[in-house]
Amino acid sequence: MKIAPSILAADLADMVSALAVCRDGGADYVHVDVMDGHFVPNLTFGAPMARALALHTEVPLDVHLMVSNPELLLDEYLAADPAMVSVHWEAAPHLDRLLARIREGGARAGLALNPGTPVSGLADILPVLDFVLLMSVNPGFAGQAFIPYVLDKAAYLRTMIEERGVEVAIEIDGGVKETNIREVAAAGVDIAVAGSGIFAAEDPIAQIGRLRGLAREEKT
């Protein structure tokens, strides 16, 4: 399983140290939670910040746009050269066009779903997705408790992907910790986003490896 530390849970006044944790811990991605204060009740990480983060790390950025009208902001975030960009199903009525723009901008294109949004509606769009991001908390704030029923959504989505014969990764975001990451792995998740589950640990660098190791134990 790949691990993507969410820097929203780090010391926001010391992003350089947060990026160093990701690098030294061997993180696969740096997860950047972009919030607009409208789609979700918080405001974080504008495009200039994303570009600044990209200048200070070689770990690929995973940009999660929790914003209304993502088509108006997308190009600014693509300028940070992220590896992955996800937009929300609930915020983007013209998904096919938007996903194509993400790919044209050089990033893997992903679709994020809130906890209450069913995955059954993804059947038609799966072939044009690189990944699906399942929110396992209600988006907007770090440090929330994991919502268990999202594991059933992940398992159902894994079955859909296999039945369609497409290569689509499953990412999960929210409340992932060492107490539940085995269950997350068992549900077929490929990428785990962890915020406080990493940055609130006594040794955040070592915690990245610990989470990956626990997930690997479940897979073997």
Side-chain angles (χ1 to χ4, degrees), residues 195-214:
S196 56
I198 289 173
F199 288 105
E202 184 175 341
D203 185 344
I205 293 173
Q207 187 71 357
I208 295 173
R210 175 163 176 75
L211 290 177
R212 183 182 286 111
L214 290 169

Side-chain angles (χ1 to χ4, degrees), residues 69-71 88-98:
N69 304 309
E71 67 278 1
H88 268 263
W89 172 280
E90 304 86 0
H94 305 292
L95 281 172
D96 186 78
R97 181 187 307 159
L98 199 55

